[in-house]
């Protein structure tokens, strides 16, 4: 019995031990999985930070190229090679395939560039692919030069949709942008990406996308291989760690960046832990997928009855294992910070070089407004030397007047201090040689590291010559305006004198005409028997000529009254006026069959008497020249052309030759003999004067035998 009890107790102890070990094994497995996930998350953050740091380094390299291009209008291959060799790209950045410059050119600029290249190198610069385009972006510089990179020179990057999208995004945002994944970034290099940084003329970034497009000079680009880019970021002491980069884009669709083959990343059912991080990188949205395969010793181990002790020891060992990880992470962070500090130092050096060699005058000021650095362009503007300018108060170089202007200067300084970005003002300064110059000043705050004493950057542009040219243009404009006003007054006076002359002559001619008509009538009545048929015919022709002359005088008076009558504008119903004129015409000749098509609701602004005269002449002409049509059709309708309202009078009459359309609107110009159609030839001329007095225009169209159309406008106010 005691033996049996001992076995039972042993079994119970064994079962209890196995139960405790099983419970612990289950808990340990869960904890180990959670620990693996935490370790993978830490590794993922570290890898993402390394990727960001590499991209930041690539951006700083391209920004250095942008600064070089801003300092030198168009660097040659030698300057570009020296800059690239100074960076030691193959040794320090093995993923980068080189540094290139893509120029933005119009067709005319491309032609000039090809001529310059042919004169400089005796070789013709070819652009591929060939063909006429509104804009070109050929690759003109690439270092280090290799056989593969040499074949890229002259390739128009805008013809590649993937690269064109990144280039346009960089241009519009004024920031660096990277492309979507490229299957082969360079021949033999495999998949990769290209980072583009925009270059603007004079190194000044415009404030809006439209101005940035106009000021764009090109792009500095840096292609890099994805395999080496990722290899430099993934720790080598993490066996089983896999990374996949997916470009999710704005629509959420996934395009593999690295690796390209789906089989190169563990499948969804593969053992291990997973973690994903979404990063916004230079205009792209990347999802970083990480997978850590199981490693030896990660599983829970069944232990004996002393499992509780081992569990405590294991927990202690796990905590002890986490501490080195944190220490290594801190060490890596310190190294990354040191590299970033070096990058910032180089960036500041590039900034100072760009300022020093700029073609526009620039100076760095401390918080008291004293000059602590100055470039050669400003030294040339002031006709001084850098040694004389260092330490001088910048405002002392500017001219000031009395107390009122001094108060204005103080207000200007307060406004500049209150401005958080850029402040621009035009002032005068006196050179050391005594000459006064007009300058355009641009103040910009320059934040520095702690302990640096400079506070702002001032850009000085000499605009004296430009202001003088503007003053000369304004003087010429004033002279031209005075001449135009004088010619206008002379023309107006001449027109008034001409109208008065025509009016006076028309009246003065009536008396002799009446005498000729009266005496010729008396001769015909009293002494007609003394003449033969030929003599009486002569007298009849004299009387007919005097009657014709009287009609022409009446026409002259009518045209003079049209020009001399005061214009009184009021709202007019053209449809009603045209209906009244049509009724009068039908009453005068009730036997004719004429169909009038007058659009209702036609309104305009004008003088009622003159507009009635206008419609009377146009509709009367249509009535006269449709007498041989049965039925005759005359219309008045509205037409809209180019956003402007026109009125059209049309008929199906005899029409006219388009070659003589210009003669219709001139006084006493007739296209038909007087015995065919009555009239003096002033009706359409009067119409033209009435429309011109209202500020409108008129023109006629027609074909022989197919009718005529006259279109005119009556604007609310004279044009």
């Amino acid at each position: 019995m005691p033996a049996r009890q001992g076995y039972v107790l042993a079994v119970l102890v064994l079962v209890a031990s196995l139960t405790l070990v099983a419970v612990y094994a289950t808990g340990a497995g869960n904890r180990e999985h959670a620990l693996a996930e935490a370790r993978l998350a830490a590794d993922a953050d570290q890898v993402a930070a390394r990727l960001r740091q590499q991209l930041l380094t690539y951006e700083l390299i391209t920004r250095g190229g942008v600064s070089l291009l801003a300092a030198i209008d168009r660097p040659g291959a030698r300057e570009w090679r020296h800059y690239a060799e100074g960076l030691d790209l193959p040794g320090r950045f093995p993923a980068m395939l080189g540094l290139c410059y893509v120029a933005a050119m119009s067709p005319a600029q491309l032609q000039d560039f090809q001529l310059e290249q042919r004169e400089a190198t005796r070789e013709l610069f070819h652009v591929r692919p060939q063909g006429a385009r509104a804009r070109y972006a050929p690759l003109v510089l690439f270092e280090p030069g290799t056989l593969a990179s040499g074949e890229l020179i002259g390739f128009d990057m805008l013809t590649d949709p993937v690269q064109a999208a990144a280039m346009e995004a960089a241009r519009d945002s004024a920031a660096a942008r990277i492309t979507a994944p490229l299957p082969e970034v360079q021949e033999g290099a495999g998949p990769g990406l290209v980072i583009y940084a925009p270059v603007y003329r004079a190194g000044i970034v415009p404030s809006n996308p439209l101005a940035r497009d106009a000021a764009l000079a090109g792009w500095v680009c840096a292609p890099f291989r994805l395999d080496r880019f990722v290899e430099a970021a993934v720790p080598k002491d993490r066996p089983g760690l896999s990374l996949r980069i997916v470009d999710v884009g704005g629509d959420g669709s996934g395009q593999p960046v690295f690796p390209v083959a789906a089989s190169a990343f563990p499948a969804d059912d593969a053992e291990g832990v997973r973690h994903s991080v979404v990063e916004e990188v230079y205009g792209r949205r990347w999802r970083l997928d990480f997978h850590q395969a199981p490693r030896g010793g990660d599983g829970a181990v069944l232990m004996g009855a002393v499992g509780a002790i081992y569990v405590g020891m294991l927990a202690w060992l796990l905590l002890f294992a986490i501490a080195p990880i944190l220490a290594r992470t801190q060490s890596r962070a310190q190294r990354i910070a040191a590299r970033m500090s070096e990058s910032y130092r180089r960036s500041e050096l590039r900034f100072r070089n760009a300022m020093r060699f700029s073609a526009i005058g620039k100076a760095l000021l401390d918080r008291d407004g004293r000059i602590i650095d100055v470039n050669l362009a400003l030294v040339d503007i002031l006709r001084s030397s850098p040694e004389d300018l260092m330490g001088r108060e910048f405002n002392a170089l500017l001219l000031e007047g009395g107390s009122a202007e001094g108060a204005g200067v103080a207000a200007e300084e307060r406004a500049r201090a209150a401005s958080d970005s850029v402040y621009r003002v035009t002032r005068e300064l006196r050179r050391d040689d005594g000459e006064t110059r007009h300058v355009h000043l641009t103040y910009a705050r320059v934040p520095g590291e702690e302990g640096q004493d400079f506070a702002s950057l001032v850009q000085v542009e000499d605009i004296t010559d430009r202001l003088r040219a503007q003053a000369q243009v304004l003087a010429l404009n004033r002279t031209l305006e005075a001449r135009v006003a004088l010619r206008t007054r002379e023309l107006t006076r001449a027109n008034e004198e001409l109208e008065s002359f025509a009016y006076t002559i028309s009246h003065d001619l009536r008396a002799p005409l009446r005498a000729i008509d009266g005496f010729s009538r008396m001769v015909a009545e009293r002494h007609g028997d003394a003449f033969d048929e030929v003599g009486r015919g002569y007298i009849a022709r004299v009387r007919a000529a005097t009657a014709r002359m009287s009609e022409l005088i009446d026409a002259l008076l009518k045209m003079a009254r049209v020009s001399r009558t005061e214009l009184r504008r009021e709202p007019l119903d053209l449809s009603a006026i045209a209906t009244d004129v049509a009724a009068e015409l039908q009453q005068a000749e009730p036997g004719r069959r004429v169909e009038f098509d007058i659009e209702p609701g036609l309104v305009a602004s004008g003088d009622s008497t003159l507009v009635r005269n206008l419609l009377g002449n146009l509709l009367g002409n249509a009535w006269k020249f449709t007498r041989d049509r049965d039925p005759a059709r005359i219309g008045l309708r509205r037409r809209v052309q180019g956003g402007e309202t026109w009125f059209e009078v049309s008929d199906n009459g005899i029409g006219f030759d388009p070659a003589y359309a210009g003669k219709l609107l001139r006084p006493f110009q007739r296209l038909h003999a007087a015995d065919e159609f009555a009239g003096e030839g002033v009706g359409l001329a009067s119409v033209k004067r009435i429309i011109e007095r209202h500020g409108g225009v008129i023109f006629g169209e027609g074909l022989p035998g197919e009718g005529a159309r006259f279109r005119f406008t009556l604007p609310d106010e004279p044009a």
Side-chain angles (χ1 to χ4, degrees):
M1 186 68 179
R4 182 180 296 178
Q5 290 177 350
Y7 288 132
V8 172
L9 181 59
V11 171
L12 291 176
V13 171
L14 178 60
V15 171
S17 300
L18 292 175
T19 302
L20 290 175
V21 170
V23 170
Y24 173 74
T26 302
N30 293 335
R31 287 191 295 272
E32 184 64 24
H33 188 271
L35 180 60
E37 289 182 341
R39 184 184 296 112
L40 181 59
D43 291 341
D45 292 340
Q46 178 182 343
V47 171
R50 288 184 173 182
L51 294 176
R52 288 194 300 270
Q53 177 59 31
Q54 287 189 81
L55 291 176
L56 176 60
T57 302
Y58 298 164
E59 181 194 7
L60 292 176
I61 292 174
T62 58
R63 288 295 181 188
V66 171
S67 299
L68 176 63
L69 292 169
I72 304 175
D73 184 23
R74 182 177 289 173
R78 185 175 62 181
E79 291 87 348
W80 196 254
R81 182 167 58 255
H82 289 170
Y83 175 68
E85 289 176 352
L87 295 173
D88 187 18
L89 297 180
R92 298 178 56 199
F93 310 103
M96 287 189 63
L97 297 173
L99 189 64
C100 52
Y101 173 59
V102 178
M105 299 181 183
S106 65
Q109 291 171 336
L110 176 60
Q111 185 177 7
D112 294 341
F113 179 75
Q114 289 176 326
L115 292 175
E116 293 174 2
Q117 289 294 105
R118 186 171 62 182
E119 293 178 358
T121 64
R122 303 298 181 183
E123 295 180 359
L124 183 61
F125 181 83
H126 294 282
V127 176
R128 306 183 310 279
Q130 297 181 353
R133 293 181 285 277
R135 178 172 292 183
Y136 297 86
L139 191 148
V140 298
L141 297 173
F142 195 111
E143 290 295 333
T146 62
L147 182 60
S149 64
E151 294 178 353
L152 294 175
I153 298 297
F155 181 77
D156 189 350
M157 294 299 182
L158 287 178
T159 60
D160 185 351
V162 176
Q163 303 205 53
M167 295 163 69
E168 292 170 355
R171 175 199 64 197
D172 295 338
S173 63
R177 290 292 183 264
I178 61 174
T179 64
L182 299 170
E184 189 171 25
V185 67
Q186 186 174 313
E187 184 177 357
L193 303 172
V194 183
I195 182 168
Y196 284 94
V199 180
Y200 300 98
R201 296 184 181 89
I204 299 176
V205 180
S207 58
N208 58 77
L210 186 61
R212 292 170 187 166
D213 186 19
L216 183 69
W219 298 265
V220 175
C221 57
F224 54 95
R225 296 175 51 164
L226 279 169
D227 53 353
R228 295 180 180 176
F229 172 72
V230 174
E231 180 182 357
V234 177
K236 295 181 174 57
D237 57 348
R238 292 291 185 272
L241 178 61
S242 301
L243 169 62
R244 177 176 61 188
I245 303 176
V246 181
D247 190 343
V248 296
D251 55 356
S253 61
Q255 181 181 6
V257 177
F258 179 87
V260 178
S263 59
F265 188 78
D268 294 339
D269 55 352
E271 293 185 1
V273 292
R274 298 176 182 270
H275 184 73
S276 295
V277 178
V278 177
E279 294 283 342
E280 300 288 343
V281 287
Y282 297 93
R284 312 298 302 182
R285 187 179 179 86
W286 285 358
R287 188 184 73 238
L288 308 181
D289 297 332
F290 296 86
H291 178 268
Q292 177 64 63
R295 294 181 293 179
D298 284 349
V301 180
L302 295 178
M303 293 173 290
V306 293
I309 298 175
Y310 287 107
V311 168
M313 294 179 62
L314 180 60
W316 177 80
L317 291 174
L318 289 175
L319 292 176
F320 183 78
I322 293 175
I325 295 176
L326 296 177
R328 286 194 297 270
T329 302
Q330 181 181 5
S331 176
R332 294 190 185 96
Q334 290 175 349
R335 290 196 297 271
I336 292 173
R339 287 196 297 269
M340 292 181 66
S341 298
E342 177 64 16
S343 298
Y344 288 141
R345 187 191 67 81
R346 293 173 178 268
S347 177
E348 181 181 356
L349 180 60
R350 287 191 293 269
F351 162 74
R352 290 186 176 275
N353 287 337
M355 187 196 81
R356 182 170 293 109
F357 299 110
S358 173
I360 299 176
K362 294 181 181 180
L364 280 174
L365 309 180
D366 62 13
R367 301 187 184 280
D368 296 328
R370 298 184 181 277
I371 299 175
I372 60 175
D373 196 4
V374 66
N375 69 348
L376 299 178
L378 183 57
V379 170
D380 182 65
I381 292 174
L382 297 174
R383 293 294 190 269
S384 183
S385 65
E387 293 76 12
D388 294 338
L389 293 176
M390 299 297 287
R392 293 178 63 180
E393 186 176 352
F394 183 77
N395 285 340
L397 302 173
L398 306 177
L399 293 181
E400 296 184 7
S403 60
E405 186 170 344
V409 173
E412 175 190 317
E413 292 180 353
R414 289 194 297 271
R416 188 171 72 245
S419 176
D420 291 334
S421 56
V422 177
Y423 182 81
R424 296 180 175 88
V425 66
T426 300
R427 296 287 301 277
E428 293 182 352
L429 61 78
R430 188 182 302 277
R431 290 175 167 175
D432 288 353
D433 58 7
E435 183 181 358
T436 300
R437 306 292 290 182
H438 294 272
V439 293
H440 183 73
L441 306 179
T442 302
Y443 292 90
R445 291 194 175 187
V446 182
E449 300 294 339
E450 185 176 358
Q452 292 180 336
D453 199 26
F454 59 89
S456 62
L457 171 69
V458 59
Q459 178 174 293
V460 183
E461 183 179 1
D462 190 342
I463 60 173
T464 304
D465 296 336
R466 186 171 66 192
L467 292 179
R468 290 174 180 170
Q470 290 175 354
Q472 292 176 357
V473 171
L474 291 176
L476 291 175
N477 287 340
R478 286 193 294 269
T479 303
L480 180 60
E481 290 172 358
R483 291 180 179 177
V484 170
L486 177 61
R487 296 294 185 271
T488 302
R489 288 195 298 270
E490 293 176 351
L491 181 60
T492 302
R493 186 163 54 251
N495 287 335
E496 292 175 351
E497 292 175 355
L498 183 61
E499 291 176 359
S500 177
F501 174 76
Y503 193 79
T504 302
I505 292 300
S506 299
H507 279 78
D508 293 346
L509 288 177
R510 285 190 179 279
L513 280 177
R514 284 195 297 269
I516 294 172
D517 182 64
F519 284 113
S520 62
R521 180 175 54 80
M522 292 174 61
V523 169
E525 292 176 354
R526 298 181 183 182
H527 307 286
D529 295 336
F531 295 98
D532 57 7
E533 290 298 327
V534 176
R536 285 191 293 273
Y538 288 159
I539 293 175
R541 291 174 67 181
V542 169
R543 295 198 63 195
T546 56
R548 175 63 178 165
M549 186 66 180
S550 179
E551 292 175 357
L552 292 176
I553 291 173
D554 290 338
L556 281 174
L557 290 174
K558 183 187 296 183
M559 291 189 64
R561 282 194 293 271
V562 167
S563 301
R564 295 164 65 90
T565 303
E566 181 182 356
L567 190 67
R568 293 185 174 88
R569 284 185 174 272
E570 58 180 305
L572 300 177
D573 187 344
L574 299 187
S575 300
I577 296 174
T579 302
D580 291 343
V581 173
E584 294 174 359
L585 294 172
Q586 288 177 329
Q587 289 176 1
E589 295 185 63
R592 287 190 57 185
R593 191 156 66 98
V594 180
E595 298 176 359
F596 281 93
D597 181 14
I598 299 175
E599 181 179 341
L602 300 180
V603 294
S605 172
D607 186 288
S608 60
T609 303
L610 295 180
V611 172
R612 185 177 183 85
N613 187 345
L614 180 153
L615 291 177
N617 278 303
L618 290 177
L619 295 175
N621 261 23
W623 179 277
K624 177 169 58 178
F625 291 108
T626 57
R627 69 183 184 187
D628 298 331
R629 298 290 190 265
D630 188 18
R633 295 184 179 86
I634 301 174
L636 172 62
R637 308 195 65 81
R638 178 193 290 111
R639 296 283 186 258
V640 178
Q641 183 176 358
E644 187 176 11
T645 300
W646 295 73
F647 301 101
E648 179 184 273
V649 176
S650 60
D651 62 66
N652 64 338
I654 64 172
F656 59 87
D657 190 339
Y660 301 105
K663 298 178 59 177
L664 291 175
L665 303 177
R666 299 176 186 173
F668 308 113
Q669 297 292 326
R670 299 173 53 86
L671 301 183
H672 307 281
D675 57 351
E676 292 181 323
F677 296 96
E680 299 80 20
V682 297
L684 291 178
S686 299
V687 167
K688 181 181 179 184
R689 290 197 178 186
I690 292 172
I691 290 175
E692 288 177 346
R693 289 200 64 192
H694 283 79
V697 294
I698 182 173
F699 67 91
E701 298 176 340
L703 291 172
E706 298 184 12
R709 295 191 306 274
F710 289 90
R711 288 189 180 183
F712 62 92
T713 61
L714 289 173
D716 292 338
E717 294 295 335

